[in-house]
Amino acid sequence: MKIGIDAGHGLHTAGKRCAKQFDVNETREWVINNRVATKVCNILNSYEGIEAIRLDDITGNTDIDLNTRCRNANNANVEAVVSIHHNAGGGTGIETYVYNEACKNGETGRLATIINNKAVEATGMKNRGVKTQNFAIIRDTKMKACLIECGFMDNEHDTPLILTEEYATKVASGIADGILAYLNIEKKEEHKTEAVENTVTEKRKIDVKYQACTNKWLQDVLNTQDYAGIYGQAITAFRGNTVRK
């Protein structure tokens, strides 16, 4: 069984980036889409009989056009397509899109609802629900297809979260759990154990303030924020200290 996983856009897609007032590096949307998509694929591919395939360029260098992504999914005859994005527009939370009301009221809507709710459950984000929109990736694919927006890139609450590895792991786990639940595949015991262990580890974290230098020293960040440099520029120096015991 094949599942098409799509990290929306490409590394150099114009305008798709985090707002500078919340992310000095203006991290590109594809970077955070890709991180979640990679984690989803890794989880799904660990299950016998499931093959997760990427519809985008995994290097990010090419923003593969939507016609090609849809054609590749159709030609591969995947069971379902999940396109992973991060939102903009000043809101907060997670929402998932299907093509139209007919899709929403059928099996596609059931898939989207399960994925959306599992992602919300895993992250604790606001549930913005399942909506309809005329997006090509969910319109021109012949199988069940949904597009999930995993948080907002221009919101003071969401942006610091979606930049972290911790959040990416949680939302990816939720998306994968939703796909598995829809397919009636029981979640592996080791994944359940990992979730418990991660919760315990998070409670014991030591806050670290650190700083990276490219051609200049950049602003301090905490270990809850994932990006300390500037994409594409070498880090030439690094320093850090614990904030508290």
Side-chain angles (χ1 to χ4, degrees), residues 198-216:
N198 288 339
T199 301
V200 174
T201 301
E202 286 162 16
K203 290 179 180 177
R204 297 175 181 171
K205 273 185 177 176
I206 297 173
D207 290 328
V208 177
K209 182 162 59 177
Y210 59 95
Q211 197 175 17
C213 181
T214 54
N215 59 338
K216 63 179 181 180

Side-chain angles (χ1 to χ4, degrees), residues 49-61:
I50 298 181
E51 179 187 2
I53 63 173
R54 287 286 289 270
L55 304 178
D56 60 306
D57 175 9
I58 61 173
T59 71
N61 291 325

Side-chain angles (χ1 to χ4, degrees), residues 128-159:
R128 297 171 61 90
V130 175
K131 305 178 180 182
T132 61
Q133 190 57 262
N134 186 22
F135 294 140
I137 194 69
I138 54 178
R139 181 191 67 222
D140 297 335
T141 41
K142 64 183 182 182
M143 65 291 300
K144 297 174 285 291
C146 61
L147 183 153
I148 184 168
E149 300 276 7
C150 299
F152 282 75
M153 299 184 294
D154 57 356
N155 176 274
E156 62 182 353
H157 171 266
D158 289 15
T159 306

Side-chain angles (χ1 to χ4, degrees), residues 28-222:
R28 302 296 181 114
E29 182 185 348
W30 181 85
V31 172
I32 49 180
N33 294 344
N34 171 63
R35 182 166 53 177
V36 175
T38 299
K39 290 176 182 289
V40 172
C41 287
N42 288 342
I43 295 171
L44 295 180
N45 285 329
S46 72
Y47 285 78
E48 186 176 353
I50 298 181
E51 179 187 2
I53 63 173
R54 287 286 289 270
L55 304 178
D56 60 306
D57 175 9
I58 61 173
T59 71
N61 291 325
T62 302
D63 186 350
I64 297 176
D65 67 85
L66 290 167
N67 287 336
T68 301
R69 297 185 195 213
C70 294
R71 185 170 62 250
N72 290 344
N74 292 335
N75 289 343
N77 199 29
V78 300
E79 177 74 15
V81 167
V82 179
S83 185
I84 295 168
H85 288 251
H86 289 77
N87 220 335
T92 181
I94 291 172
E95 61 192 18
T96 303
Y97 288 91
V98 297
Y99 172 45
N100 56 25
E101 287 296 326
C103 291
K104 186 176 179 180
N105 294 327
E107 282 300 299
T108 298
R110 190 167 79 86
L111 171 66
T113 299
I114 295 172
I115 289 173
N116 186 84
N117 291 347
K118 289 286 188 180
V120 167
E121 180 184 332
T123 60
M125 293 285 269
K126 178 181 178 180
N127 190 342
R128 297 171 61 90
V130 175
K131 305 178 180 182
T132 61
Q133 190 57 262
N134 186 22
F135 294 140
I137 194 69
I138 54 178
R139 181 191 67 222
D140 297 335
T141 41
K142 64 183 182 182
M143 65 291 300
K144 297 174 285 291
C146 61
L147 183 153
I148 184 168
E149 300 276 7
C150 299
F152 282 75
M153 299 184 294
D154 57 356
N155 176 274
E156 62 182 353
H157 171 266
D158 289 15
T159 306
L161 285 175
I162 65 178
L163 287 172
T164 66
E165 188 79 24
E166 177 186 341
Y167 181 84
T169 298
K170 288 180 179 179
V171 74
S173 178
I175 293 169
D177 286 354
I179 295 170
L180 293 169
Y182 177 82
L183 297 174
N184 291 317
I185 296 173
E186 186 176 356
K187 187 177 179 181
K188 288 183 177 179
E189 192 62 37
E190 57 262 37
H191 292 156
K192 297 176 186 177
T193 303
E194 285 171 6
V196 173
E197 288 176 349
N198 288 339
T199 301
V200 174
T201 301
E202 286 162 16
K203 290 179 180 177
R204 297 175 181 171
K205 273 185 177 176
I206 297 173
D207 290 328
V208 177
K209 182 162 59 177
Y210 59 95
Q211 197 175 17
C213 181
T214 54
N215 59 338
K216 63 179 181 180
W217 282 102
L218 304 176
Q219 68 178 26
D220 286 338
V221 295
L222 292 174

